[in-house]
Amino acid sequence: ALKRQFDRVMAPTRLQIIQVLPRIRTPQAHGFLLECFFSADHALVREAVHSLREEIHLYEPKQRSDLYDRLTATLKDRRLKQNNAALSAVIITFGILANVRAKNKLLPYLKEEWSEQVRRHALISLAQFEYMGDKHSDVFKAVLPLLDGPDYEGLVRHAVQVLMRVKPRRADNAKIQALLNNRHPGVQAYAVHALCRLDSMTNATKIINFLYHPDPHLRDAAGQSLRRMPSAVTVILKNLDEGGNHAQAA
């Protein structure tokens, strides 16, 4: 009945219909909601996404599964190639569902061929997932190149938020160490926290240098990390001994 009325009513009433759809939570309602993503009325698209976000906590597993399957099918819709607003809405909805299975569907949208808007929304959604265990090297590999971007607020900040949720691997230790020299303090702080989780005397030695950094956030990150690193005790004592020897020599 709502679908039959939709095209006949004024814009304010359409928005009210959109608000109702996530409360119905049937396959038909999901299909209608996703079709609204292709509307030329961007206010309506935003309302569709917002309404779903407000209701998702009430969804049962079967309802979530149906919406996930319909989102996956929508990615194959040819209209998405010419409609960034609809594509962004689909990507954001994957983040609302927060199902880590969707990572393989979102990672391709981090490539440079996509607009910054699409890439940013893909990062924001990827940052909603729980990356349990150490089987997410694909996420690290896809997101890492974005940390070299010139605009921290545009993409880099969101890339950091994704990587903060991914367990660092020993195999990536050298790449993370290299980030200590990144142009963005936020990326450097991520590297400090990640190296802390890969405890070693070498990493503790790298981090201890940031205790004297002019940026207070980096100093705090270094202090917090060193307190959690067993190897830091040896490194700190060694530095104290060397400092005492230098003082005596002077």
Side-chain angles (χ1 to χ4, degrees):
L2 292 174
K3 191 171 184 179
R4 286 195 302 269
Q5 294 294 325
F6 191 75
D7 292 329
R8 306 176 187 176
V9 298
M10 302 295 288
T13 306
R14 288 199 195 102
L15 291 177
Q16 291 177 329
I17 291 175
I18 290 298
Q19 293 169 2
V20 171
L21 291 177
R23 303 176 189 177
I24 300 175
R25 300 197 287 277
T26 62
Q28 293 81 4
H30 290 155
F32 186 17
L33 185 72
L34 296 186
E35 185 60 32
C36 290
F37 287 176
F38 294 94
S39 172
D41 183 350
H42 288 182
L44 191 148
V45 178
R46 288 193 295 271
E47 186 59 41
V49 172
H50 175 74
S51 298
L52 180 63
R53 182 179 285 113
E54 291 294 304
E55 295 292 323
I56 196 66
H57 67 285
L58 297 173
Y59 271 55
E60 296 178 359
K62 184 177 180 180
Q63 295 164 344
R64 285 174 174 267
S65 179
D66 175 75
L67 180 56
Y68 180 90
D69 291 342
R70 287 177 178 274
L71 276 174
T72 300
T74 303
L75 283 177
K76 300 176 183 179
D77 194 313
R78 295 179 180 179
R79 292 176 294 173
L80 287 180
K81 294 182 179 180
Q82 288 80 38
N83 194 328
N84 274 357
L87 178 56
S88 292
V90 171
I91 289 172
I92 292 169
T93 303
F94 273 118
I96 292 172
L97 278 173
N99 188 331
V100 74
R101 283 194 301 155
K103 70 169 184 175
N104 293 329
K105 296 172 176 56
L106 297 184
L107 290 177
Y109 292 106
L110 299 183
K111 296 179 181 178
E112 291 185 356
E113 63 192 76
W114 297 102
S115 69
E116 180 171 327
Q117 171 188 315
V118 168
R119 298 166 82 195
R120 182 171 62 254
H121 286 137
L123 287 169
I124 292 172
S125 286
L126 286 164
Q128 308 307 310
F129 301 158
E130 292 291 338
Y131 298 99
M132 303 298 292
D134 54 1
K135 296 182 179 180
H136 301 289
S137 60
D138 52 346
V139 177
F140 180 87
K141 182 178 179 181
V143 175
L144 183 66
L146 300 179
L147 300 180
D148 290 327
D151 182 7
Y152 185 78
E153 292 300 324
L155 291 178
V156 180
R157 174 170 66 92
H158 301 293
V160 168
Q161 290 174 349
V162 175
L163 292 182
M164 288 292 287
R165 302 179 71 87
V166 178
K167 181 180 178 181
R169 302 185 308 154
R170 289 283 175 188
D172 297 318
N173 195 90
K175 295 177 182 177
I176 297 172
Q177 281 188 4
L179 296 176
L180 293 173
N181 299 316
N182 190 276
R183 72 178 88 181
H184 303 296
V187 176
Q188 293 176 296
Y190 156 71
V192 167
H193 287 300
L195 291 175
C196 162
R197 299 172 69 181
L198 300 172
D199 183 34
S200 71
M201 290 186 63
T202 300
N203 287 344
T205 301
K206 295 279 187 182
I207 292 174
I208 202 170
N209 294 325
F210 284 84
L211 286 175
Y212 312 101
H213 197 279
D215 188 313
H217 297 295
L218 276 172
R219 293 200 300 271
D220 290 344
Q224 293 170 11
S225 296
L226 289 170
R227 283 195 290 271
R228 295 196 296 266
M229 298 176 73
S231 296
V233 176
T234 302
V235 174
I236 292 171
L237 289 175
K238 181 180 178 182
N239 279 13
L240 289 174
D241 288 341
E242 290 176 353
N245 291 337
H246 289 319
Q248 288 179 2

